[in-house]
Amino acid sequence: MTKADGTEVLRGTASAGPGAGETAIEARLAQLAPLQDAVILRDVRIGAAVPRVAVRMAPDTRMGPLYPFSLADKLRVITEPSPAYSGSGSRWGRPIVPMEMVSVLMQHSWDESLIGVRGPAVGLFADQEIRLLDGPVFVDCAYEVAREVVFLSGSRRTESVWVRTTLYREGDATPVARMLLNCAIMKE
């Protein structure tokens, strides 16, 4: 996406199936230099992990302070509605979570202090990639998420922690989805 003057606003990729090639996030990560002289992230280490935590997205459940709305609220205003979101048109026989809400489920229960981020700090989601690995994500299904820090980067004004979150069905070892999220934290 570019502005009228040609300035790039964002870059992304979309694909289906294996062997789709390098994603925009993989290309971006390959170009980044590791974070030097960390301040806010000085206690965060690549490989730091948060054990699996239970998560669930029921239709009327508010998903925490970052997401003060429910799935039902979102579906009332969603710009690309689908019968699969209500279950009536779902080939799986039950409602699925819209792609834009998968990240909400996967960020539910996030506590950056668990990996060593010093606060208080203001952070923004700067880059995000979501991969569905084993079918869709279902509404009101018991899942677990595990998180791991995979990279630290930064700029003059930000420090970024790249966290890979994996979604599992409760008690199962097969990943359902994976999200890579760059949380850019403002230094000033």
Side-chain angles (χ1 to χ4, degrees):
M1 177 184 289
T2 57
K3 294 181 181 180
D5 68 3
T7 304
E8 185 174 288
V9 177
L10 63 88
R11 175 180 303 265
T13 52
S15 59
E22 184 177 61
T23 67
I25 293 286
E26 290 167 339
R28 179 158 160 64
L29 270 173
Q31 296 174 0
L32 293 175
L35 179 63
Q36 302 294 318
D37 303 318
V39 176
I40 300 164
L41 301 179
R42 70 177 170 258
D43 297 331
V44 179
R45 301 290 173 257
I46 294 174
V50 177
R52 287 167 71 152
V53 175
V55 295
R56 177 185 295 260
M57 183 178 282
D60 293 316
T61 301
R62 301 228 184 283
M63 299 304 291
L66 293 178
Y67 309 101
F69 53 87
S70 68
L71 175 59
D73 294 335
K74 182 66 171 180
L75 291 178
R76 281 192 284 279
V77 297
I78 196 166
T79 57
E80 292 86 26
S82 168
Y85 302 153
S86 68
S88 63
S90 173
R91 68 180 191 207
W92 297 277
R94 54 187 172 158
I96 65 169
V97 175
M99 197 66 178
E100 64 196 74
M101 292 293 285
V102 171
S103 66
V104 174
L105 175 65
M106 293 176 78
Q107 275 301 101
H108 185 61
S109 77
W110 168 245
D111 179 353
E112 60 191 19
S113 69
L114 295 175
I115 59 168
V117 175
R118 292 178 173 261
V122 175
L124 304 170
F125 297 165
D127 298 275
Q128 181 183 55
E129 177 179 271
I130 297 174
R131 293 180 183 208
L132 297 179
L133 305 170
D134 187 22
V137 175
F138 295 107
V139 174
D140 210 13
C141 184
Y143 290 105
E144 296 171 334
V145 292
R147 296 182 174 89
E148 178 184 8
V149 175
V150 296
F151 196 69
L152 300 172
S153 63
S155 69
R156 188 173 58 82
R157 293 186 167 193
T158 65
E159 293 182 9
S160 289
V161 57
W162 294 74
V163 177
R164 180 176 293 122
T165 302
T166 305
L167 183 73
Y168 301 90
R169 285 177 199 85
E170 187 176 61
D172 193 340
T174 304
V176 172
R178 191 166 285 133
M179 178 175 71
L180 182 58
L181 184 64
N182 169 9
C183 297
I185 300 164
M186 311 306 274
K187 288 183 186 179
E188 296 178 2

